[in-house]
Amino acid sequence: MSVIVIQFITLDGIVSDPDGSGGTPAGGWAFRHGPETVAGDKFRLGGLLDEGVLLLGRTTWELFARLWPGRDDPFSARMNAVPKLVATRTLADVSTWANSKIVDGDLVDAVKRERRDVIVTGSLSVVHRLMAEDLVDEYRLLTFPTILRSGRRLFPAEGPPTYLECLSAEQAGAAVLARYRRAR
């Protein structure tokens, strides 16, 4: 089992409001480069969607639950079919998006018990919690040629250094998809 974090990110490390749904002044920065840059399997998840599980925080899950169920292209069908774990303290019902289930008990314990690969998308509070427990095995970052200078960062200033090694990097429209794992 691996924990894989996937994020839209700016050159200066900002991950907040890439689609503009948060209403921030610079929100929507990922979509300014056209739909082809963010459409489809840009994170090269492939078989991970067939064998793994998505882990989403409440806010990301609510956004995705409004977007994905009505789509029927091949990638959307895979997103709708993949099992989804929702980390929430406030939602009681996640039946609006197929194959969704609320995380039972403590988030970290649930991830440690999981036997499938865990794909965390968006959900910065979930990512930070897993990072604090040193549970993230791989980062797949779709980096956009944008500098925002403010917003929530994937790697906060406080905390210990993290050493990664680059597994691959490729251009994906206006962005670059890079895969990193913990340096051994």
Side-chain angles (χ1 to χ4, degrees), residues 139 164-170 177-183:
Y139 296 91
L164 305 172
E165 64 179 298
C166 184
L167 299 174
S168 65
E170 64 181 278
L177 173 64
R179 293 178 54 207
Y180 302 93
R181 71 173 172 209
R182 284 184 283 174

Side-chain angles (χ1 to χ4, degrees), residues 35-84:
E36 65 282 348
T37 302
V38 296
D41 189 7
K42 291 299 184 210
F43 291 100
R44 306 290 186 257
L45 297 174
L48 289 171
L49 290 177
D50 299 326
E51 306 295 327
V53 59
L54 282 181
L55 173 59
L56 305 146
R58 178 195 50 82
T59 303
T60 303
W61 182 87
E62 287 177 329
L63 174 66
F64 283 16
R66 287 191 304 269
L67 297 174
W68 291 104
R71 297 179 179 177
D72 62 358
D73 61 273
F75 182 70
S76 296
R78 292 175 88 189
M79 286 292 287
N80 290 324
V82 67
K84 293 166 265 304

